[in-house]
Amino acid sequence: MLDIDWKSLPFGYFKTDYNVRCYYRNGKWGELEISSSEYINMHMAATCLHYGQEAFEGMKAYRGKDGKIRIFRWNENAKRMRRSAQGVMMAEVPDEIFREAIFKVIKLNEKFVPPYGLGAALYLRPLLIGSGPEVGVKPATEYMFMVFAGPVGPYFKEGFNPVEMQVISDYDRAAPNGTGHIKVGGNYAASLRPLHRGKQEGFASVIFRNSADRRYIDEAGPANFFAIRGDTYITPDSVSILPSITNMSLRQIAKDMGLKVELRQVAIDELGDFDEVGACGTAAVISPIKRIVDRDTGKVFEYCKDRIAGPYSTKLYVTLRAIQEGAEEDIHGWNTIVE
Ligand code: PLP
Ligand code: COI
């Protein structure tokens, strides 16, 4: 029996029994291998170390009310990883290999999938790296794809309790025609310093503006931003943000709930007009935001009355979680049961 306090799991690395790996050599992918080592053996001139040839994904497997394990929209993560690979000239992982890898890693670590209803999940981290050596700036000829997994709790320690965020303009996460729309390590490197400062200043995360003219909201650290105004779900459209699979799903759920949906540029000047705001992503699910402080002007925007999440954010959160955990009908066919 595992001695895990599922209810108080942080979002972090957790050692499990197995991970899976697959190598791309001589122009083709090999067979998937199972490993119980947490380490990889790597060439010191591997392009991932020097030129950032690296992409990752984040996804969750949930234990349902019926005891079954479900994985949410895995094919969207596979597609996004292919787009990331194209973006930094890596070998693309075929969807069949991606699927086999994530299903295998879940099955092998089945005992680490948290029980239903405790707010925890098995987080999967697919990772693709340029492993071949180069010293000139060019793509590698060899790649390594791996997936590891571990049980996690909520990304923000507040869980579904509202957090405070800071909107900043002195750091950019990604350039307009850069790599913001794909999930490559460099974007996260660029966010470390502002996120660290934001935390030191008392905020759960920072909200980045679009880097072209800084008049619009891009995203909320490692999550997309959304707002509710009246009966409309509003979320930024920008070339430099990561197209979130959670956000895409919330837009559909919002429509199903009878809300209007706007995917458009969202001006900083609109922050005072919203009834509810939040951050969304696989790790964060929905994190309601109670307060946004503009670091430049000191202006404060308050949202959650009585410090609790607004009604639409709550309904979106409850519905999404219920679909992911098999407690509500999966009308869009988003889940795959892991057998
Ligand atoms: N934005 C960034 C920068 C992220 O790292 C993530 C997490 O993957 C998201 C948004 C949310 O995307 P998704 O809902 O696909 O997890
Ligand atoms: C996710 O939501 O899965 C992420 O990847 C966000 C962050 C932990 C990088």
Side-chain angles (χ1 to χ4, degrees), residues 80 173 183 188 219 221-224 242 244-246 280-282:
R80 192 167 65 190
R173 178 186 162 271
K183 205 162 165 63
Y188 298 84
E219 54 185 329
N224 275 185
L242 191 75
S244 154
I245 296 157
T246 312
C280 64
T282 297

Side-chain angles (χ1 to χ4, degrees), residues 69-134:
I69 300 171
R70 287 171 177 77
I71 180 93
F72 189 69
R73 306 190 82 169
W74 70 268
N75 48 333
E76 292 294 336
N77 293 89
K79 202 197 297 177
R80 192 167 65 190
M81 185 165 245
R82 281 193 278 106
R83 278 203 303 268
S84 298
Q86 284 165 15
V88 293
M89 297 195 72
M90 296 193 287
E92 288 176 41
V93 178
D95 287 7
E96 312 81 70
I97 294 180
F98 191 94
R99 184 187 201 282
E100 193 190 341
I102 56 168
F103 280 67
K104 201 163 255 177
V105 101
I106 297 168
K107 285 303 286 178
L108 289 166
N109 295 299
E110 199 168 340
K111 65 178 188 217
F112 294 100
V113 182
Y116 169 74
L118 300 181
L122 185 75
Y123 185 71
L124 310 182
R125 180 51 71 85
L127 177 67
L128 173 65
I129 60 172
S131 52
E134 294 294 344

Side-chain angles (χ1 to χ4, degrees), residues 273-335:
D273 303 339
F274 300 135
D275 303 316
E276 301 177 32
V277 298
C280 64
T282 297
V285 193
I286 285 184
S287 215
I289 302 173
K290 65 182 171 203
R291 199 160 184 262
I292 296 177
V293 178
D294 185 329
R295 196 174 188 276
D296 295 355
T297 60
K299 230 168 153 176
V300 177
F301 303 91
E302 307 263 4
Y303 301 96
C304 300
K305 274 202 204 94
D306 306 322
R307 311 260 125 182
I308 55 163
Y312 284 122
S313 304
T314 305
K315 195 159 177 209
L316 287 164
Y317 175 80
V318 169
T319 309
L320 177 65
R321 288 301 307 264
I323 295 172
Q324 289 171 330
E325 297 186 326
E328 178 154 333
E329 199 191 344
D330 177 23
I331 55 170
H332 300 290
W334 288 336
N335 292 320

